[in-house]
Amino acid sequence: MKKIFLLVGPTIMIFIGLQMFESVIVTFLLFYGWLLIVPLLGHGIPRERFKATSKAVMLGVGSGLLFFLFIYGGLHWLHIYLLDIDQLRVLLWEWGFSGSGEIWLVLILLVANPILEEVYWRGYIYEKLRRDGTAKYAILVTSTFYTLYHLLSVIPIFEGFFGLIAAVPVFIAGTFWGYIREKTGSITAAIIGHVLSDMGIIFVYWFLVR
């Protein structure tokens, strides 16, 4: 029961923030607060999980660049079919990502988001699941629940059923980062890859939406 609560907790935080309070600020506070506080209360993750070997760095950079090209290149090519740019601009304005809010968007996506998400999913949660099961089990479970709450944010952004399809790359990325976390014994590669992937989102915003 406790593990289920840990798995769905981030999704619940986003649901409460977006659906009940209808506030992105509250959503961020609840969501990132959960990702930060829960591992700390659970005694964190072993320090060796942050080791930065040359293999981990190369895997992180390589996977991150691949995901960056997929996100920015794919949306640059297909955005007229997948996105309603005018509607997206209104949505981002309502979420507070305009003017000085742009700086917060960049900082959150490139610093807070990749570090806290990877520490939580490929660090804290993965460690717990791996003790009780196989690597495949830990990878698939963390990837599934990591993808779950992304549905709440991507569905309003994309046109029609493309919102559901947009969650597939999130699952693939989570699965790959779980795989390299298992192979390297570190979350460093996942954090680097996540940063570069989120940079693809920033490029989409800056060059296509803004």
Side-chain angles (χ1 to χ4, degrees):
M1 189 66 178
K2 180 181 178 182
K3 285 182 181 177
I4 292 295
F5 188 60
L6 291 174
L7 290 169
V8 301
T11 303
I12 293 173
M13 294 301 104
I14 289 183
F15 179 81
I16 291 173
L18 287 181
Q19 302 301 320
M20 298 178 66
F21 286 92
E22 298 182 345
S23 168
V24 171
I25 294 177
V26 172
T27 301
F28 280 172
L29 289 174
L30 290 173
F31 176 65
Y32 291 115
W34 178 281
L35 297 186
L36 176 64
I37 294 171
V38 170
L40 289 176
L41 294 178
H43 308 295
I45 62 176
R47 188 173 298 177
E48 60 266 25
R49 298 296 178 237
F50 293 94
K51 62 184 178 183
T53 63
S54 57
K55 179 181 179 181
V57 172
M58 289 177 61
L59 282 170
V61 172
S63 65
L65 288 175
L66 187 64
F67 289 129
F68 171 88
L69 290 173
F70 177 81
I71 293 169
Y72 180 63
L75 287 176
H76 188 275
W77 181 37
L78 298 171
H79 71 275
I80 59 174
Y81 306 106
L82 303 179
L83 302 173
D84 182 333
I85 298 296
D86 292 332
Q87 181 180 332
L88 183 53
R89 286 171 180 159
V90 172
L91 179 64
L92 291 174
W93 180 81
E94 291 175 349
W95 283 357
F97 296 129
S98 59
S100 61
E102 292 178 335
I103 299 175
W104 289 108
L105 174 63
V106 172
L107 290 176
I108 289 168
L109 282 178
L110 296 186
V111 181
N113 191 67
I115 293 175
L116 292 180
E117 283 195 325
E118 293 309 318
V119 165
Y120 188 81
W121 290 110
R122 258 62 69 177
Y124 180 68
I125 297 297
Y126 189 93
E127 199 84 16
K128 282 183 170 294
L129 297 176
R130 189 68 174 89
R131 292 185 198 133
D132 302 327
T134 64
K136 182 178 180 180
Y137 166 75
I139 291 170
L140 290 178
V141 171
T142 52
S143 299
T144 298
F145 285 92
Y146 165 72
T147 304
L148 180 62
Y149 61 79
H150 282 82
L151 288 170
L152 298 177
S153 57
V154 298
I155 286 178
I157 291 175
F158 289 88
E159 286 284 293
F161 73 97
F162 288 119
L164 292 174
I165 295 176
V168 175
V170 176
F171 179 81
I172 293 173
T175 300
F176 183 77
W177 290 329
Y179 174 78
I180 60 176
R181 180 255 179 268
E182 175 67 25
K183 291 301 180 183
T184 63
S186 167
I187 64 172
T188 301
I191 291 175
I192 295 172
H194 204 145
V195 169
L196 291 173
S197 298
D198 283 357
M199 191 173 291
I201 299 173
I202 294 295
F203 269 54
V204 169
Y205 169 72
W206 207 263
F207 294 108
L208 296 180
V209 179
R210 188 172 182 267

